[in-house]
Each structure stands twice: as C-alpha cells, then as structure tokens.
Amino acid sequence: MSRKRIFVSLAVTTWANVLSGTAVHAAAPPDESPAGVCAGLAGMSIPASKIGLPTTGAVVSTAQLVLPDSSNPNGEFCEVRGFILPASPDAPKMEFEVNLPTAWNRKAVQFGGGGFDGVLVTGLGHAALQPDSVRNPLAQGYVTLGSDGGHKGTAGFDGSFALNDEALLNFGRQSVKKAHDAAMAIITARYGRAPKRFYFIGASQGGHEALDAAARYPADYDGVVANYPAYNVTMLHLGSWNVGMALYENGGAGWLNPAKTKLLTDAVYAACDSLDGAKDGIISNVKGCNKRFSIATVRATLRCADGKDTGDACLSDAQIAAVEKITSPFRPGFPIAGSEVFARWALLEGALFHGPSMLGSRPVPANPPTAADPLLYNAGSGTIKYVITRQPGFDPLTFRPDEWKARVQQSGQIMDVTDVDLTPFRRKGGKIILTHGTIDDFITPHNSEAYYERQLARHGKANLPSFMRFYVIPGFGHGFGLFSARFDGLAAIDRWVETGRAPERPIAVDANKDQHRTRPMCEFGSWPRYRGTGSVDSAASFTCVKN
C-alpha cells in the first residue's frame, strides 16, 4: 500500500468514527527498542535480486532478542534465523543465522563450516582457533553469521546431498556468497547501514570457504583467515583415497595396524625431535627431519626379516611400499583445477596417524566404509560415490581416475579454488592469513604449501607479502595435536586491514589440558629453533630461522 493510500484510508476511517461518535485511537508509534526492532525482522522477505547468485529469495523465520545472563557471554543481541530458497524446486533450502549485537562495532565476521557441511554454523562461539581467553566475536560487537552450506547431513562424510546439482554448487562454492548477501540485507534492515568491514574465518572446509570468499567474491570481503584449508576438495579427496589404495592393495597386505603405525612414528620422533634444539615431543625442523629420516631409513631399520610380516615389531615389504606411496606425491594423470599433483602426506615428518579413525582397524574396508576404516578413505569414498560417479553403491577400490577424467575435472571446477586468481582481492586491499600445522594427518600441510607457492609464482615476492601471510605451526594437527595451537586470527586480520600492519610472528598458545606452552608462529620457509636457554614452554625461548 502506498503512503497516499494509507493516508486516505485513515482519513475516511477517522471521519466515519466522528460521525458515529466512536472513539478514535491514534496508531501506536513503531517500537524502536532493541526488542521491538528485533521482533520486526521476523518474517522479513529478501528478494532474489538482493542475492548475487541464483535463488528464489530468502525469508527470516525467527528473530528474538537475547539478553545477557550467566548462560550468554555475548551481551545483548538479536538472533536471526532463516532460509535461502533454492532456484530449483528439487534442491534443499539453505539455513542461515545472523547475530546482531545491540552495541555494534560496524563490522561483521562470517564463520565457515567443516567436513561436508550440513550443520548450521551459528556464529555464537569463538571463531576458528581463537583462544578461550578471548571474548567471542559477537561479544566484541561483531555481527556474526554462518550457514549449513546449503543442505542437511549426517555424521561422517555423507555426500548424498551432492546428487543434487544446486546443493553441490552451494557446498562447492556458492553458499559463502548467498549467506553473505542474505546477511547484508538483514544487517541493513537492522542498522540502516552496511558494515564498514566484512571478514571470513574458517578451518578445514571453512578454510576452503575463506579462500572462496577472497578469490571468488573479492568485492564482498576485506580479510579472511584460512586455517588448514580444504581448498581443493576434489584433488584432496583423491589424495585421501590414494592412502586407502596404498593400504588395501594386494588384499590389504600393506595395511598398518595401530601398533605398526606407532612403531613407525615413534622412530620418526626418536630421530627428529631434538633437531630444533629442544627435546620436547615436537618436531619443528621438518627439513632437517627429511634428511635424517626417509623411506630408506625405514627399510634399513624397521624392515622385517626377509620382508615378511612377522609381527608388530617390524614392517613387511608390502607395508613399507604402502608407507612409500603415502609419503610420495600423488598424480591422477591429468590436471584438476590447474594442478596435476597432490602433495605427500607427513607420515615421516611427525604426523601420527594414530587411532582406528585414521588408518583403520581392519585390513579390508567395508563398502560403504565405516568408522572402522581410515578417516581419509571415508572422505575419498564420499566424493567418489556422490560427487564423481554419483553412484552410491560404487566400490571405491575399483575407481580409476582416468576412467572418470571429465567428471573429475568438472568436480574440480565446482569444488576447488586452486587456480582462481586472487589479483582482484589484492588490488582492492584485501588481506589473507593462512595457517597449517606440520602434523596434520587429515589435510597434509604440504597441500597449503603448494597453494602458497602457486600464489608466490603468480604475484611475486614483492606483492605477495602485502596481502598474504602463511604460518606453519609445528606439532599442530587438524584442529588439535601435540601442540594444540590457538591464536586470535580475528584480531590479527582486523588490525592488518585497519592499520596496514601485517602480523609479525604471532604467538600461539597450546590448548591441551595442563599445558602452558607458547610458540612463535613462523612464516613459511622458517621454523622455531630453541635458543638454548630459557623455558621450552615459552615462545620467548625460540627464534624463527630459515630452512
């Protein structure tokens, strides 16, 4: 209804009331209290034109003001939930959450997901790898937001969503933009203006989404933090599947049970722990370890007599061959998103691969694989079954990449951000913090090294440090580890964007129970060496040295 029509309608009603003697009540003014403004967002409809990728719009389903109390550390905020409606009627809706602090700092931070997504990321807690001692971003005054990646999933690597084209596109690259744009409409409706800064922080799949934000949607973001990113899902999951093939070839003769895996990794630590100057259970000098301990060392020191499997105190020839395959680059035989090689796994450099969830608890996997089979093989199988072949009953042990070349490459264009140019993001002044742990046994640290080296080749030594910094963290795995690193990436990226001061050797704290350790986060190409004096638990006792 137009303003004019509202006025005429009110005028007619008023004169009718006067003539009849009925009392006239003035319309109540809008409730502009935080509670009233928040409640007014419920039912808000966002047209498709406000979302920069194909949808049929979005709708806010609930909006409620949350007050500060002992169970809410975030202060007063409006919690908004809603759905982005698919372009195709057979695709699932995308659930999102946007949290609007009453005391807003004019900034927003989007949280990434994990695994195959499928669970709503609320944005109510810490951003990825933030220490517990730091207040949640929402409590600091940031608008926070997240989504479910465009579908609902079950535990593990349930890739069934990928049988739907739109759902796969959402997971692979589009959910980041769609959630951002829906949030922008809500933020503007609540505050009457857009954020002056917009950040993205994530880890693993969330790290992939962070790099998608920078590379694919540079106009929307000012800075991103990508921790151990799964930026090349197609290639990564083929490399993961290749670990399974190394173990299961020859009927499982190459499989390493947990005892044999520990035998191997214990030998690595015995040889390499002290190479950084401190015998503290952390291998920091990875390059030195490569020289000290190799597959030749395994053959010379751990091989069973005559190469036959005689128990847990040695490795058979088939098992040594599996180790060599795992710790060698994997080549699918053709390029995937501009890359022809997946980097080696860090099994001979400190990655532990311990527990049945990593290399499994049986020599022959099920189809579909279960928790009794390696986590890496589960990830690879999910992508092979649901993304590449789109045959849920397909046996991954029979998969041959060259037979599915066209579909593998198509999947790479959907899910891998490997070759998407960051130049537009650099030119607009965007900043990227990239991190990875040296003992990550779910996404090898060499995968992030390959991404960084690709950027170095494209942007050059003069340009790259102006917008990207890459930190390698010894002893850190996939969100946990012997050194369970935490650092405030949000504060670091915000300071870099606002002041132009890049992070200089940030300090990571160890979140493991009863640990009070800190370490400097050294840029790629250097590592923390113990000075020889001072506590090995203090970052001040270490200095970053070049490889």
Side-chain angles (χ1 to χ4, degrees):
M1 185 181 291
S2 69
R3 290 173 62 90
K4 183 176 181 179
R5 288 179 65 190
I6 292 172
F7 176 79
V8 171
S9 176
L10 288 173
V12 171
T13 302
T14 299
W15 277 112
N17 288 334
V18 169
L19 291 174
S20 66
T22 305
V24 179
H25 299 283
D31 184 354
E32 296 185 358
S33 69
V37 174
C38 180
L41 295 173
M44 175 182 174
S45 179
I46 301 170
S49 60
K50 293 291 186 181
I51 300 173
L53 292 170
T55 69
T56 51
V59 62
V60 171
S61 55
T62 63
Q64 61 177 349
L65 190 71
V66 181
L67 300 176
D69 60 28
S70 58
S71 63
N72 168 31
N74 291 317
E76 184 176 283
F77 69 97
C78 180
E79 183 181 46
V80 177
R81 289 191 179 184
F83 294 92
I84 297 168
L85 307 177
S88 174
D90 65 345
K93 297 181 293 185
M94 181 188 305
E95 188 177 14
F96 65 85
E97 177 162 336
V98 182
N99 305 298
L100 306 159
T102 300
W104 186 34
N105 67 2
R106 291 287 316 278
K107 301 175 185 180
V109 57
Q110 187 170 350
F111 289 26
F116 273 162
D117 287 338
V119 176
L120 176 64
V121 175
T122 65
L124 295 173
H126 285 100
L129 298 191
Q130 279 191 302
D132 290 341
S133 59
V134 173
R135 288 188 302 156
N136 295 340
L138 181 56
Q140 297 180 46
Y142 286 88
V143 166
T144 64
L145 61 136
S147 80
D148 63 3
H151 65 275
K152 296 301 181 188
T154 59
F157 284 88
D158 172 18
S160 57
F161 72 91
L163 298 175
N164 181 278
D165 287 343
E166 187 172 342
L168 177 57
L169 276 170
N170 283 334
F171 167 76
R173 57 194 292 178
Q174 293 190 352
S175 65
V176 170
K177 170 69 172 171
K178 291 178 180 179
H180 168 278
D181 289 0
M184 284 291 283
I186 293 167
I187 292 168
T188 304
R190 166 61 180 88
Y191 300 111
R193 54 185 174 177
K196 67 176 183 179
R197 300 295 185 201
F198 213 114
Y199 303 122
F200 197 110
I201 298 181
S204 195
Q205 166 62 9
H208 167 208
E209 293 164 352
L211 293 177
D212 267 337
R216 300 189 192 276
Y217 313 112
D220 294 335
Y221 298 90
D222 298 289
V224 308
V225 181
N227 301 296
Y228 43 97
Y231 68 87
N232 53 347
V233 178
T234 309
M235 180 68 93
L236 168 65
H237 285 181
L238 289 185
S240 302
W241 161 82
N242 188 58
V243 170
M245 295 303 291
L247 299 172
Y248 301 138
E249 286 173 338
N250 300 321
W255 177 66
L256 280 73
N257 66 27
K260 286 177 177 283
T261 304
K262 188 174 186 301
L263 173 76
L264 175 61
T265 56
D266 281 353
V268 173
Y269 277 85
C272 300
D273 183 3
S274 62
L275 294 178
D276 53 19
K279 196 168 180 60
D280 56 357
I282 296 174
I283 296 172
S284 298
N285 185 359
V286 175
K287 291 278 189 181
C289 190
N290 293 153
K291 297 174 182 177
R292 176 74 64 87
F293 198 98
S294 67
I295 193 68
T297 313
V298 176
R299 289 194 180 95
T301 62
L302 297 179
R303 181 175 181 264
C304 297
D306 299 324
K308 298 178 181 179
D309 191 349
T310 57
D312 293 343
C314 62
L315 302 182
S316 69
D317 285 344
Q319 291 158 349
I320 293 172
V323 172
E324 184 171 23
K325 186 168 184 174
I326 292 168
T327 58
S328 299
F330 166 69
R331 293 174 172 83
F334 50 85
I336 301 173
S339 175
E340 297 191 16
V341 180
F342 180 74
R344 69 186 185 274
W345 296 90
L347 180 58
L348 300 183
E349 301 168 352
L352 296 173
F353 286 86
H354 59 68
S357 66
M358 295 311 300
L359 295 184
S361 58
R362 57 188 176 189
V364 178
N367 184 29
T370 71
D373 303 310
L375 186 59
L376 291 175
Y377 185 69
N378 272 269
S381 296
T383 292
I384 288 169
K385 286 172 174 287
Y386 294 103
V387 178
I388 298 173
T389 69
R390 288 185 149 177
Q391 298 176 23
F394 190 90
D395 183 356
L397 291 179
T398 68
F399 179 73
R400 299 297 178 266
D402 59 304
E403 296 175 3
W404 295 88
K405 176 181 176 180
R407 180 58 186 169
V408 170
Q409 291 184 316
Q410 183 183 26
S411 300
Q413 292 305 307
I414 295 171
M415 301 194 299
D416 297 23
V417 72
T418 311
D419 57 351
V420 182
D421 191 5
L422 288 168
T423 299
F425 192 65
R426 171 173 65 83
R427 287 178 174 167
K428 73 159 285 186
K431 309 298 181 186
I432 300 173
I433 294 175
L434 176 65
T435 77
H436 214 124
T438 61
I439 68 168
D440 193 336
D441 45 20
F442 192 54
I443 302 177
T444 171
H446 302 299
N447 195 46
S448 286
E449 291 174 7
Y451 183 81
Y452 182 81
E453 288 171 342
R454 174 180 285 267
Q455 306 313 316
L456 186 61
R458 171 167 287 183
H459 299 279
K461 291 183 179 180
N463 287 323
L464 190 60
S466 71
F467 80 101
M468 176 182 281
R469 297 296 171 97
F470 176 30
Y471 302 94
V472 180
I473 309 171
F476 186 44
H478 202 74
F480 51 89
L482 300 172
F483 184 93
S484 188
R486 298 292 181 271
F487 81 107
D488 192 352
L490 177 58
I493 200 71
D494 182 51
R495 183 168 53 249
W496 193 3
V497 168
E498 293 286 12
T499 69
R501 290 189 292 116
E504 291 292 337
R505 295 187 185 177
I507 302 300
V509 299
D510 187 352
N512 283 317
K513 185 178 180 180
D514 299 326
Q515 289 288 355
H516 304 282
R517 297 190 293 190
T518 59
R519 284 284 191 281
M521 293 171 58
C522 302
E523 289 191 56
F524 175 61
S526 61
W527 51 274
R529 183 176 65 189
Y530 179 55
R531 297 177 185 272
T533 60
S535 172
V536 294
D537 292 337
S538 172
S541 303
F542 292 80
T543 184
C544 294
V545 297
K546 296 289 185 181
N547 286 324

